Amino acid sequence: MGIYGAINSAVSGLAAQAQALENISGNVANSQTIGFKRLDTTFSDLVSGGGSTQASQVSGTTYATSRATNTVSGDISSNDIDTYMAINGEGYFVVTQAADFVDGSTTFADDTYYTRAGDFEVNKEGYFVNQAGYYLKGFPLDATTGNPVGDTPSVIQINSQPLPASATTTVNYQASLPRVPATTNYDSTVANSELLNDGANGAPGPNLGATEIGDTGTLEADFLNSSISGGSVTTYNSNGSEVPLNIRWAKVDNTAGAEVWSMYIDTGGETGTSYYKVGNVTFDGTGQVTALANTGATAGLGVTTTGTTSFTIDTITVGGVTAGTAASAADSITISFANGSLTQFADPDGIATSVNLSQNGYAAGELSNIAIDESGRVIASYSNNQTRALYEVPLATFQAEQNLRRVDGAAFAATSDSGNADLSGGGAVISNAVELSNADIADEFSKLIITQQAYSANSKIVTSADEMLDSALNMVR
């Protein structure tokens, strides 16, 4: 049986090398497939029967099995598309397939798959779909807390509806006021000329009173000559209309250790008033705020104070646009001086310095872009410069990922041998990038040469065995 055994071994070698060639061929064909994991080939021997020791045994046949390389990452390549993702480390994107298209909407299969192919783009329905047709899944994020909702990921769909406007509720104000404001009326040789004449402080110049500034005669011009700019910020009302707040400061009291400034806001041309008065701020000798008061504040603003940290305006109309509601705190605007952000120190230029105003409102905005951040969250950007985190992209890991079942499109399905997916770990998501195939053409060609030689050698065994059988048959002729 030696010659026949040799033929059997050679034939098994031919079959094994043919399988190796098939894997090499597939690897080369998919060397440019995003997220593809090559299949290597492992050879095992089958021992022939007979003999209790190796001295009485002969080499047996062989068989080939495919070996997964799921744990071997491909190169990561950067890309200009904001929704492309790569995984640095362990894990797979969780995806599914479309089942049907019913009443203008896509329905999805119950099956879940896993892939490293992160070439996702947003389709016309707002779904993330990669080039193989798989739909990305993720955890929706709570709009208030930013935390993932639920334990089971759902198909990510981006809503293209505009982001509603949000009214300004807080203006964070920072400034350092000068001890001596360099107003137009200021004359270093004239006592109290840096003060606004409120009718009680003995300051020179027109008496402008201790409340709002009217719009008749030269009242506005006189006020501007007795005050300094305090910066400006655009706020928004509940329907997204802009309400600009242009702030001015006028010093009204030079009493040592209790110097007082008055805060005003430009009305934008409202009839009867050129500048609203918000209230008074008192500074101690160290330049820190010791008191806020709504003394002389414009009645229609509904100004209230909170300690030494803020003025709150119930409603204000600027240039015909109103923000807030009279006698209602629900949509009032708080001008905050928290954390000592308003001070008074000597300044040689006599102007307000370190002025910075920010606010938390915005107009309505259209969806302008979708991107992935460094933590793997789907971020929607809007035309009003607002962003919203909508979904978190989970990464699935497995106890035995080499036992995943391969499916079309560089994807895998879980099996009993691979274990269930764990969505609590994984590597890091890299945005604007994709993972390339881990099949290297140079390596595959090297394996191809070895496979070709092994195949030729096995075929030579068959030829030699055939010649030996012919010789044995010719002996009886």
Side-chain angles (χ1 to χ4, degrees):
M1 297 295 293
I3 294 178
Y4 289 109
I7 293 175
N8 286 335
S9 295
V11 171
S12 71
L14 291 173
Q17 296 303 326
Q19 181 172 338
L21 179 63
E22 186 174 4
N23 282 340
I24 292 170
S25 175
N27 294 340
V28 171
N30 286 284
S31 61
Q32 301 302 310
T33 300
I34 292 175
F36 177 78
K37 299 299 180 183
R38 73 175 187 269
L39 277 178
D40 290 340
T41 306
T42 298
F43 299 93
S44 300
D45 69 321
L46 295 173
V47 178
S48 297
S52 58
T53 64
Q54 290 195 53
S56 59
Q57 293 177 326
V58 294
S59 296
T61 58
T62 187
Y63 70 96
T65 56
S66 297
R67 186 178 73 249
T69 62
N70 293 32
T71 58
V72 180
S73 298
D75 292 336
I76 293 178
S77 174
S78 60
N79 198 284
D80 292 334
I81 299 178
D82 291 334
T83 53
Y84 275 21
M85 292 175 278
I87 301 173
N88 183 18
E90 294 182 325
Y92 299 82
F93 298 115
V94 183
V95 295
T96 189
Q97 290 181 311
D100 204 349
F101 193 73
V102 179
D103 296 331
S105 298
T106 301
T107 60
F108 298 97
D110 294 331
D111 297 327
T112 298
Y113 301 100
Y114 309 92
T115 184
R116 301 271 292 195
D119 50 342
F120 294 100
E121 294 187 61
V122 180
N123 68 6
K124 64 179 182 179
E125 295 180 86
Y127 296 113
F128 276 58
V129 189
N130 70 8
Q131 301 305 309
Y134 287 99
Y135 290 73
L136 182 64
K137 287 186 171 185
F139 293 111
L141 299 177
D142 185 274
T144 302
T145 65
N147 296 325
V149 177
D151 298 323
T152 303
S154 58
V155 179
I156 293 176
Q157 185 178 27
I158 306 302
N159 191 333
S160 61
Q161 292 182 348
L163 182 69
S166 178
T168 299
T169 58
T170 301
V171 173
N172 293 308
Y173 188 93
Q174 173 185 293
S176 178
L177 303 179
R179 290 198 68 252
V180 180
T183 65
T184 303
N185 289 340
Y186 173 61
D187 184 342
S188 60
T189 64
V190 179
N192 294 328
S193 61
E194 70 273 22
L195 302 182
L196 177 145
N197 185 347
D198 63 0
N201 57 11
N207 180 0
L208 297 175
T211 181
E212 64 188 30
I213 307 301
D215 65 349
T216 59
T218 62
L219 288 176
E220 182 175 0
D222 293 337
F223 169 74
L224 294 175
N225 291 336
S226 301
S227 60
I228 61 174
S229 172
S232 63
V233 65
T234 298
T235 62
Y236 298 88
N237 64 12
S238 57
N239 62 20
S241 297
E242 295 184 357
V243 182
L245 302 185
N246 295 305
I247 295 171
R248 292 191 73 84
W249 291 95
K251 195 170 188 181
V252 295
D253 194 335
N254 270 335
T255 302
E259 300 175 57
V260 180
W261 288 76
S262 294
M263 183 182 192
Y264 296 86
I265 295 177
D266 188 352
T267 69
E270 290 296 307
T271 302
T273 307
S274 59
Y275 279 84
Y276 300 120
K277 184 176 179 182
V278 178
N280 292 341
V281 181
T282 303
F283 296 91
D284 64 15
T286 66
Q288 304 303 310
V289 177
T290 59
L292 298 179
N294 59 2
T295 305
T298 301
L301 299 184
V303 177
T304 56
T305 63
T306 302
T308 61
T309 60
S310 66
F311 287 118
T312 298
I313 300 172
D314 280 349
T315 183
I316 185 170
T317 300
V318 178
V321 181
T322 299
T325 305
S328 172
D331 54 356
S332 58
I333 298 176
T334 296
I335 302 177
S336 174
F337 312 120
N339 301 315
S341 61
L342 182 62
T343 57
Q344 177 194 256
F345 295 110
D347 181 83
D349 296 322
I351 61 174
T353 58
S354 301
V355 178
N356 184 48
L357 290 83
S358 63
Q359 57 85 43
N360 62 349
Y362 48 84
E366 298 289 334
L367 181 66
S368 59
N369 189 49
I370 296 294
I372 311 298
D373 70 5
E374 64 279 0
S375 61
R377 295 193 166 197
V378 179
I379 306 297
S381 298
Y382 296 86
S383 58
N384 55 4
N385 296 321
Q386 298 297 306
T387 59
R388 292 290 181 273
L390 304 180
Y391 287 88
E392 183 175 272
V393 178
L395 297 180
T397 58
F398 298 87
Q399 287 292 330
E401 60 183 295
Q402 73 276 8
N403 291 323
L404 292 169
R405 177 171 58 87
R406 299 169 76 95
V407 296
D408 293 340
F412 301 89
T415 65
S416 58
D417 291 332
S418 69
N420 294 325
D422 180 358
L423 304 181
S424 62
V429 174
I430 302 175
S431 60
N432 291 99
V434 290
E435 180 182 349
L436 304 179
S437 169
N438 69 354
D440 181 83
I441 291 181
D443 290 342
E444 297 302 319
F445 276 14
S446 297
K447 290 187 286 186
L448 175 61
I449 293 172
I450 296 172
T451 300
Q452 184 178 17
Q453 290 177 337
Y455 193 91
S456 297
N458 278 285
S459 65
K460 185 64 176 176
I461 294 294
V462 174
T463 301
S464 298
D466 180 59
E467 292 175 352
M468 292 173 68
L469 282 175
D470 283 344
S471 296
L473 292 174
N474 287 336
M475 290 172 60
V476 298
R477 292 179 181 175

